[in-house]
Amino acid sequence: MKNLLIMGIDTRPMVNSALNLDYKTFSVSYFKTVDFKMPFREKHVLNQESVISCGRFEENYSPMKLLQLFDEMTHKNAINDIDEDEIDKIVLTTGINANDFCGKFEKYKKIIYGNKKTEKVENKFKFFNSIKNKFDIPLTFQPTDVYELNEILQQHDNNQLILKPLQGSGGLGIFLLNNESLSENNNSNEILENISYENYVLQEYIDGINVSSSVLSSHDEHKNLINSRLITEHDLGNDTFEYSGNILPLDKNSLKMFNSIQTNFDADELNEEMKNISEDLMKEFKLVGSNGVDYVLDKSGQLKVIEINPRFQGTYELVENVLGINLLEAHIKACEGELIEIPNAGPYSIKKIIYARKQLNIGNLNIPNVFDVPYQGVKIEKDQPLVTIIICDNDLEKAMDDVKIAEKKVFENID
């Protein structure tokens, strides 16, 4: 039996998949939640069983913390630890990439099943510069300071622009800017005067529908698995742009959800266009395994490429639900040169992440259709992810109602 190590911020979904395969599974993650099914051995950064508050992820997490736990796991300090020479495969999820394996960890790159070089897609400015003559993208700049930013705003005063981190995902740290809001908002001006501009890009804000593709690639072939309606907090009427979930598959019904934009677009044509662009992008950047592409569909029906996620996406469990596949197995096979046959899409599957909008005391959240469940008695800090709701149903309206029911039950069990 081969030893498989899964590493990332939240490995729960991939560990679930691995437990159905012929591997001795190990996990190194930031989160370990109540509903985490134990693999052969695991280590995690945040120990909810011994803390009062879970703290703030962005202040406590780093890829190096995962690598340190990995180092501990391979030093035979416990009965079930593994010898470093016994690791056969490493699969990475969100929060860590092959470039983080440097120094004494460099030798493990050869057994990473996935993309080894992702700088050209993870650095958003390099990414947009490399595709701007081949694909439709929003206007994108990298100002050097607040003065250059203001010059760009004045030159494009008919556009709303967003300032977003150069690297990272999940819609965190995005500011919506225009000249009027800056002149009235002292807090925004203070933020803009104190950030490190080398870590940000300035981009045209596209008012439209967020959609995404899930793609599977070998070194020689690329298949678009399925497309989805992507949900952000902005879609839900909030001021932030955090990633909040998806609806699969993408069709005329899911296109209409969470927006006031007239959706007279042909869903079949849109799916075909996304398929072609996403597969072309995989070929362009020589990506392998499971990857994702995010787009915005503007009001005129034009599709704009926003970013590539060169790893498993937030749609992981939804893809498995709708297509009836083991996505971890499909990813490993793709990295070995074999692409699975893609089944027809089944029922709708919806994912919604609930965020804590104030500090919350957690009760018993073992509720049907609720995942990533915090331990009872801990505190979740303001604006941190609370739980994930996942619903499957043939009827999209009923599925949406079930999301609301689960959400209500969650808030009945917190203070």
Side-chain angles (χ1 to χ4, degrees):
M1 182 179 289
K2 301 281 188 179
N3 286 332
L4 171 66
L5 173 63
I6 304 173
M7 297 180 69
I9 294 169
D10 180 8
T11 61
R12 177 190 59 79
M14 297 80 195
V15 167
N16 287 346
S17 298
L19 293 176
N20 291 313
L21 302 174
D22 190 24
Y23 290 108
K24 185 180 287 185
T25 304
F26 298 79
S27 167
V28 174
S29 64
Y30 180 77
F31 292 111
K32 176 194 170 188
T33 52
V34 170
D35 54 325
F36 181 85
K37 291 182 181 178
M38 288 293 292
F40 183 74
R41 185 160 180 80
E42 68 85 27
K43 287 182 179 289
H44 54 276
V45 176
L46 177 61
N47 189 355
Q48 292 189 19
E49 295 165 286
S50 63
V51 299
I52 296 174
S53 168
C54 291
R56 302 190 65 79
F57 165 79
E58 58 270 27
E59 296 172 0
N60 298 329
Y61 174 76
S62 72
M64 183 51 65
K65 289 186 177 181
L66 297 189
L67 289 168
Q68 288 168 348
L69 291 177
F70 172 41
D71 195 37
E72 292 174 15
M73 187 179 275
T74 56
H75 274 77
K76 288 286 186 180
N77 293 324
I79 295 173
N80 289 329
D81 281 342
I82 49 177
D83 190 289
E84 61 181 21
D85 296 327
E86 295 175 353
I87 303 167
D88 299 296
K89 299 176 182 179
I90 298 175
V91 172
L92 305 179
T93 73
T94 301
I96 188 167
N97 62 46
N99 292 332
D100 294 314
F101 284 72
C102 52
K104 66 179 180 180
F105 300 105
E106 178 87 25
K107 61 185 178 182
Y108 296 106
K109 281 187 178 181
K110 63 185 178 183
I111 56 170
I112 291 175
Y113 276 60
N115 298 303
K116 305 289 177 49
K117 296 180 180 180
T118 57
E119 170 66 13
K120 287 185 178 179
V121 294
E122 303 227 51
N123 182 307
K124 292 181 175 62
F125 193 62
K126 288 183 179 179
F127 171 62
F128 285 114
N129 267 343
S130 65
I131 69 169
K132 63 184 179 183
N133 296 323
K134 300 178 183 179
F135 302 91
D136 287 327
I137 63 170
L139 293 170
T140 304
F141 313 91
Q142 190 171 31
T144 56
D145 53 36
V146 68
Y147 304 106
E148 188 176 349
L149 180 143
N150 280 316
E151 285 181 10
I152 296 169
L153 285 173
Q154 290 167 11
Q155 291 168 7
H156 298 273
D157 59 358
N158 292 325
N159 301 79
Q160 273 196 306
L161 300 175
I162 55 174
L163 191 67
K164 61 198 297 186
L166 185 67
Q167 295 183 303
S169 58
L172 298 172
I174 293 177
F175 303 96
L176 183 60
L177 305 175
N178 56 46
N179 287 312
E180 183 178 342
S181 66
L182 285 177
S183 64
E184 296 174 355
N185 193 330
N186 290 330
N187 185 49
S188 291
N189 281 307
E190 184 177 347
I191 292 171
L192 296 176
E193 288 172 1
N194 290 289
I195 64 172
S196 298
Y197 279 86
E198 66 270 18
N199 297 324
Y200 284 85
V201 292
L202 187 64
Q203 191 172 78
E204 175 188 10
Y205 170 66
I206 307 294
D207 186 14
I209 302 172
N210 299 289
V211 292
S212 68
S213 290
S214 178
V215 193
L216 200 61
S217 299
S218 68
H219 290 285
D220 302 314
E221 190 180 0
H222 313 280
K223 287 185 180 180
N224 197 83
L225 282 175
I226 196 167
N227 298 325
S228 77
R229 169 71 168 91
L230 193 151
I231 308 165
T232 71
E233 286 294 292
H234 192 69
D235 293 318
L236 303 177
N238 299 315
D239 293 333
T240 64
F241 292 86
E242 294 153 308
Y243 166 70
S244 293
N246 298 80
I247 306 174
L248 271 69
L250 181 64
D251 63 12
K252 63 180 181 180
N253 296 320
S254 53
L255 269 173
K256 294 177 182 177
M257 289 292 172
F258 303 114
N259 70 82
S260 58
I261 296 169
Q262 188 68 29
T263 53
N264 292 324
F265 313 124
D266 186 302
D268 291 336
E269 289 182 3
L270 174 61
N271 275 302
E272 185 65 20
E273 184 180 3
M274 290 173 66
K275 171 187 180 298
N276 293 334
I277 296 173
S278 295
E279 290 175 357
D280 285 347
L281 283 166
M282 296 303 107
K283 184 178 180 180
E284 178 80 15
F285 290 98
K286 298 180 174 59
L287 299 178
V288 297
S290 177
N291 299 281
V293 184
D294 290 348
Y295 301 89
V296 171
L297 181 67
D298 70 17
K299 293 179 179 180
S300 69
Q302 186 174 7
L303 204 58
K304 302 269 190 178
V305 178
I306 299 300
E307 66 182 27
I308 289 178
N309 297 301
R311 64 186 68 81
F312 290 124
Q313 308 91 60
T315 54
Y316 184 93
E317 289 167 286
L318 309 190
V319 171
E320 291 198 329
N321 291 340
V322 174
L323 296 181
I325 64 173
N326 186 311
L327 187 52
L328 177 65
E329 180 181 35
H331 168 83
I332 292 172
K333 284 184 175 181
C335 293
E336 293 173 338
E338 177 188 352
L339 291 188
I340 65 166
E341 291 298 318
I342 303 173
N344 293 328
Y348 289 104
S349 190
I350 302 173
K351 172 181 179 177
K352 186 180 179 186
I353 299 171
I354 300 177
Y355 291 90
R357 294 312 176 192
K358 62 178 182 178
Q359 187 188 70
L360 297 173
N361 298 307
I362 302 303
N364 182 1
L365 295 182
N366 279 306
I367 298 167
N369 303 313
V370 175
F371 301 88
D372 300 318
V373 178
Y375 281 75
Q376 189 168 350
V378 302
K379 296 180 186 296
I380 302 294
E381 297 301 323
K382 182 178 182 292
D383 296 329
Q384 296 296 293
L386 177 58
V387 294
T388 304
I389 297 172
I390 298 177
I391 303 284
C392 287
D393 202 284
N394 288 316
D395 185 325
L396 182 55
E397 293 292 340
K398 183 179 181 301
M400 292 302 304
D401 289 341
D402 287 344
V403 169
K404 293 175 184 176
I405 290 169
E407 188 169 0
K408 182 181 178 183
K409 288 181 180 178
V410 167
F411 281 102
E412 287 173 354
N413 286 276
I414 55 179
D415 293 325

